[in-house]
Amino acid sequence: MMALRYLLNETWLSLSANKIRSALTILGIVIGIASVIAMTSLISSMEDLLMRELGLYQARMVQIHSTEPMSLEDAQAIEGAFPDYESVGSLMIVTAQVSSQTESLNTQVFGVTDNYAYIQNIDIEQGRFLIEADGTQALQVAVVGKGILRDLYGSEDAQVLGETLRVGPKGEEYTIVGVIKGNGTSRNYNRVLVPLDTLHVRLAGTRTVDTVFALAREDVDTVDLSRRTQSYMTRTLEHPSDTVYVYSMQEMMDQLDLIVTSFSFMLSAIAVIALFVGGIGIMNMMLTTVSERRREIGLRKSLGAHTSTITRQFLLEAVTLSLVGGILGIFLGLAVAVVLGLTARSLGIDMPVAPEVGIESILIAVAICVAIGIAFGFYPARHAAKLDPVESLRYQ
Amino acid sequence: MSEANAVLEVVGLTRTYQSRAGVTEALRGLTFTIKRGEFVAIMGPSGSGKSTLMNILGCLDRPSKGLYLFEGVDIRSYDDDELADIRATRIGFIFQAFNLLPRTTVLRNVMLPLSFTHCPQHEWEARARKALHAVDLQEYLYGHRSNELSGGQMQRVAIARALVNDPALILADEPTGNLDTATGAVILATLTQLHERGRTIVLITHDPEVARRADRILHIRDGLLERTPHTGVFSPADSSTRGETASGSAAYSGVSLPAVASVALSA
Ligand SMILES: Nc1ncnc2c1ncn2[C@@H]1O[C@H](COP(=O)(O)OP(=O)(O)OP(=O)(O)O)[C@@H](O)[C@H]1O
Ligand SMILES: [Mg+2]
């Protein structure tokens, strides 16, 4: 009956008659929707990041740390005692000065067994990873992350195979045999990896182990396996129970999952509260509008508007308000996501800058806004529609 | 008793208001008929029930007791939406306070009642222009916002709005009450002109000068029709308080009505 364009035009006229009030009213919706959008994009990039960083492959990994030194024999004993492990390796970390011909810096030097690359799922960009022979002969060879290339050889893409790297206080010479793939966010970016035996002999002066890492076989319950490993470490290998920590990567992923979940729960709560407050704001504004425009309502009714026509008119105003708020909120949310992405980048976290906001999230946001407009606009609209035309026309 | 050329008939029309202060009997049993093409003035002191009567005649309110036939149909048979439809299509209102939508253009103000009817939207503007022509509003004002107009211009826009649906009845409650004498005279001339073109007009006024322009004057006092003093040619000769139709005067209907009624629908 009433042409939609005409109705929308009317709606726009009356909302723009009170621009500031309308703007203030939709602030709650803007914030609510912005946090929904920022949240969904943030969570999807966070999950993305975590999946990329940990990888599904590493869900099978178990790490054993101790505040007391462990030994290579511990690692061998574990490997012998648990056939559920496909592979067990060890590492020791020292901090040392490393230098090229021209540059030098302090960084972590990892002594690792040759299965480190397999268990940790490391990809090589140039050359090769360490092999068993490097260890048994205690060769002075090194595999480095690209951060080392950038800082010591001028560029992440410098060709360094065969170059000499000086390591440690004595400046012993190591030949670079490989470069680890991965940009600034990957774990090995700033590391120098040498054979564990070489590190023991040349750099550490002790033959201890900081971390034992192991890869469980497929379909093994790694959480249970890590418990059994823990009790094996304390009962059989007689490490004091308060010094040994066994983590399964699965457990850590579950924990991270929990963090992401509670984070999104918190953001959802904020969004729900903001949207609720926004809805109340709309209701409040609509009630004010209705009482201010009593004469207009009385006039419309006396000129023949049905109750349903008035209801529709004010519902449309409420929905338009919350929809405009929602659309602004979507843009604000995207902007926040971009800013967060850029901030994360500048902090060295590899988050996608272009926020991942699917069409579904936008449709959901729009649906939420329409629902809020209807839910909170209904009472004022009904109130308006039920006004008595005679009474309303007398109203000054 | 329903007459073929009657726009409306009321019989024993009563309206009582209940309020905390008690019961007010605003109308206490009015009976009269208004025929097609008539120009009737309703006069009476303040509080006598004129606006109450106009609200009922305009289908904005329902009688507490008594009968109201609008175009031959008892309005009790209509529900609220049907009454709204009658207001939208059959009745034009002119208010003392103009009641235009401010910040809205003249043209859109006049189009407003059309938005409550089944009239297709592409016809709205042409009909609004036609109605504005009928009240002689200068065309350059059509695009102005209504709050930019003078009082007299506003009331002419309001009259155009009342005309736009080609109503059977125009109801005007003190249309000149907010205007100075000269402007009021112009508005009155506009209404008289509409009447001459066949419109049925019921006009409420305090002002005897205004009422004199009508074919017939109904005097109300304390909710009852008064026997009208014989002041002029146009006053009804019969006693309306007894329940006879005020227009039943043979002299009146015989002389002035048929000529007017014949052009009523062609306007
Ligand atoms: N909504 C209402 N509730 C209670 N009493 C009312 C209401 N509306 C009108 N009245 C009473 O009904 C009587 C008639 O009022 P009405 O407005 O019809 O008078 P009127 O003739 O139009 O007066 P005026 O010339 O001052 O406009 C008055 O006594 C008034 O107080
Ligand atoms: Mg009155």
Side-chain angles (χ1 to χ4, degrees):
Chain A
M1 176 161 125
M2 238 203 271
L4 187 66
R5 242 190 65 208
Y6 176 81
L7 246 174
L8 287 176
N9 194 309
E10 294 253 291
T11 304
W12 188 251
L13 278 178
S14 60
L15 289 180
S16 55
N18 270 306
K19 287 196 191 69
I20 292 177
R21 191 163 76 186
S22 303
L24 290 175
T25 298
I26 61 177
L27 216 54
I29 303 289
V30 174
I31 292 169
I33 293 295
S35 53
V36 170
I37 293 292
M39 169 183 81
T40 46
S41 83
L42 210 67
I43 285 169
S44 77
S45 8
M46 253 172 81
E47 272 176 340
D48 212 49
L49 181 73
L50 292 177
M51 289 313 274
R52 216 158 8 96
E53 270 297 279
L54 302 173
L56 277 176
Y57 183 77
Q58 274 108 332
R60 287 159 55 206
M61 196 166 80
V62 173
Q63 291 200 355
I64 302 146
H65 299 281
S66 174
T67 53
E68 303 281 300
M70 293 180 288
S71 65
L72 279 167
E73 287 69 34
D74 290 329
Q76 277 156 14
I78 289 167
E79 188 162 22
F82 292 98
D84 278 350
Y85 287 123
E86 183 185 325
S87 181
V88 178
S90 311
L91 68 80
M92 182 184 187
I93 306 167
V94 297
T95 301
Q97 190 173 53
V98 296
S99 30
S100 63
Q101 308 284 30
T102 50
E103 308 288 333
S104 110
L105 62 88
N106 267 308
T107 192
Q108 285 186 318
V109 178
F110 277 51
V112 299
T113 47
D114 57 83
N115 53 6
Y116 183 81
Y118 173 60
I119 295 174
Q120 301 265 354
N121 198 21
I122 287 169
D123 288 328
I124 291 297
E125 191 167 288
Q126 295 179 38
R128 63 169 175 85
F129 194 70
L130 304 169
I131 53 173
E132 196 176 354
D134 296 332
T136 48
Q137 299 169 46
L139 293 183
Q140 288 174 237
V141 290
V143 171
V144 296
K146 288 168 80 169
I148 300 292
L149 299 195
R150 189 192 61 190
D151 293 341
L152 298 187
Y153 297 94
S155 131
E156 284 188 351
D157 302 315
Q159 297 298 313
V160 291
L161 294 183
E163 293 280 342
T164 299
L165 187 69
R166 293 179 182 278
V167 181
K170 286 176 271 174
E172 290 178 307
E173 293 183 355
Y174 285 71
T175 306
I176 298 177
V177 296
V179 175
I180 299 167
K181 204 174 189 169
N183 56 19
T185 62
S186 60
R187 283 155 299 158
N188 294 300
Y189 188 65
N190 282 317
R191 290 176 187 170
V192 173
L193 272 52
V194 300
L196 181 58
D197 290 314
T198 311
L199 185 102
H200 280 158
V201 174
R202 299 282 171 196
L203 292 165
T206 61
R207 295 185 64 86
T208 59
V209 164
D210 292 330
T211 303
V212 174
F213 49 90
L215 189 69
R217 291 183 195 283
E218 307 255 13
D219 301 324
V220 170
D221 178 352
T222 55
V223 177
D224 176 62
L225 180 57
S226 68
R227 298 236 166 81
R228 284 187 281 134
T229 308
Q230 170 96 29
S231 80
Y232 179 79
M233 282 290 288
T234 52
R235 299 245 175 87
T236 312
L237 301 180
E238 296 178 331
H239 284 269
S241 64
D242 55 350
T243 61
V244 178
Y245 300 91
V246 181
Y247 302 103
S248 83
M249 200 53 84
Q250 185 61 54
E251 233 168 335
M252 284 166 72
M253 282 168 76
D254 290 348
Q255 272 172 21
L256 282 167
D257 218 44
L258 192 72
I259 291 170
V260 170
T261 309
S262 40
F263 183 64
S264 56
F265 182 79
M266 200 183 72
L267 281 172
S268 312
I270 292 173
V272 165
I273 291 168
L275 290 174
F276 187 75
V277 171
I280 297 217
I282 286 182
M283 185 151 157
N284 188 39
M285 159 151 179
M286 291 311 297
L287 283 173
T288 313
T289 305
V290 167
S291 78
E292 279 176 0
R293 286 160 62 191
R294 261 179 88 159
R295 279 187 78 87
E296 179 198 324
I297 294 161
L299 175 74
R300 285 173 183 272
K301 290 196 79 172
S302 58
L303 295 183
H306 286 194
T307 310
S308 58
T309 313
I310 304 287
T311 308
R312 211 179 326 139
Q313 178 192 349
F314 283 92
L315 263 186
L316 192 68
E317 276 187 32
V319 169
T320 305
L321 264 182
S322 85
L323 211 53
V324 168
I327 290 166
L328 292 178
I330 289 171
F331 284 114
L332 182 66
L334 291 177
V336 167
V338 169
V339 168
L340 284 177
L342 287 173
T343 312
R345 284 228 139 174
S346 72
L347 293 175
I349 303 166
D350 184 28
M351 292 247 288
V353 172
E356 279 267 337
V357 178
I359 189 79
E360 316 91 57
S361 336
I362 289 178
L363 287 181
I364 287 171
V366 166
I368 288 174
C369 289
V370 171
I372 287 174
I374 291 174
F376 289 92
F378 189 75
Y379 173 70
R382 275 318 274 183
H383 177 63
K386 283 187 176 155
L387 286 177
D388 175 48
V390 174
E391 284 297 313
S392 310
L393 272 178
R394 285 155 62 106
Y395 181 80
Q396 287 303 325
Chain B
M1 66 177 292
S2 173
E3 291 179 45
N5 64 343
V7 172
L8 62 87
E9 293 181 64
V10 294
V11 180
L13 187 72
T14 303
R15 178 67 165 99
T16 49
Y17 291 111
Q18 318 270 358
S19 65
R20 255 173 296 166
V23 179
T24 309
E25 290 196 300
L27 299 176
R28 302 191 288 160
L30 305 186
T31 301
F32 60 87
T33 300
I34 290 174
K35 292 183 179 172
R36 226 167 271 291
E38 264 196 298
F39 183 177
V40 177
I42 295 177
M43 284 194 73
S46 185
S48 57
K50 302 184 297 294
S51 296
T52 304
L53 176 60
M54 151 131 165
N55 292 336
I56 292 175
L57 297 186
C59 297
L60 284 164
D61 192 13
R62 292 171 186 268
S64 311
K65 236 176 19 193
L67 197 61
Y68 175 27
L69 304 182
F70 182 81
E71 298 195 298
V73 182
D74 185 346
I75 66 149
R76 281 177 301 192
S77 67
Y78 295 128
D79 65 21
D80 287 351
D81 280 348
E82 285 166 335
L83 279 189
D85 290 338
I86 286 176
R87 296 197 295 271
T89 56
R90 307 303 298 149
I91 297 171
F93 289 94
I94 300 165
F95 306 93
Q96 177 173 352
F98 320 137
N99 287 335
L100 299 178
L101 297 180
R103 296 186 307 273
T104 303
T105 63
V106 165
L107 217 45
R108 281 183 80 98
N109 261 289
V110 176
M111 276 156 35
L112 183 63
L114 295 172
S115 71
F116 306 129
T117 67
H118 293 283
C119 176
Q121 203 185 347
H122 62 88
E123 287 178 18
W124 291 4
E125 186 169 337
R127 291 185 67 162
R129 284 180 180 277
K130 199 176 150 213
L132 283 163
H133 268 294
V135 298
D136 290 327
L137 192 79
Q138 296 97 312
E139 214 162 324
Y140 77 93
L141 290 170
Y142 290 8
H144 283 228
R145 291 161 160 222
S146 70
N147 50 340
E148 296 163 1
L149 306 184
S150 73
Q153 290 168 335
M154 287 193 202
Q155 195 60 304
R156 264 185 286 165
V157 173
I159 296 173
R161 183 181 62 193
L163 283 176
V164 76
N165 276 329
D166 191 19
L169 174 67
I170 291 175
L171 288 172
D173 192 351
E174 309 250 19
T176 58
N178 279 8
L179 301 172
D180 61 63
T181 321
T183 317
V186 175
I187 292 303
L188 210 57
T190 307
L191 288 175
T192 311
Q193 207 178 29
L194 290 174
H195 168 234
E196 280 160 5
R197 289 189 215 147
R199 294 283 171 190
T200 312
I201 298 173
V202 174
L203 176 124
I204 290 174
T205 183
H206 275 117
D207 187 347
E209 283 304 307
V210 172
R212 262 165 40 93
R213 307 290 284 269
D215 299 333
R216 182 157 67 98
I217 303 176
L218 297 180
H219 289 271
I220 303 189
R221 182 179 292 276
D222 296 335
L224 289 168
L225 279 187
E226 252 191 353
R227 191 191 165 78
T228 318
H230 293 261
T231 47
V233 233
F234 293 114
S235 50
D238 214 338
S239 78
S240 30
T241 41
R242 282 209 323 268
E244 309 272 289
T245 58
S247 58
S249 152
Y252 173 73
S253 47
V255 173
S256 57
L257 241 181
V260 175
S262 61
V263 290
L265 293 169
S266 59

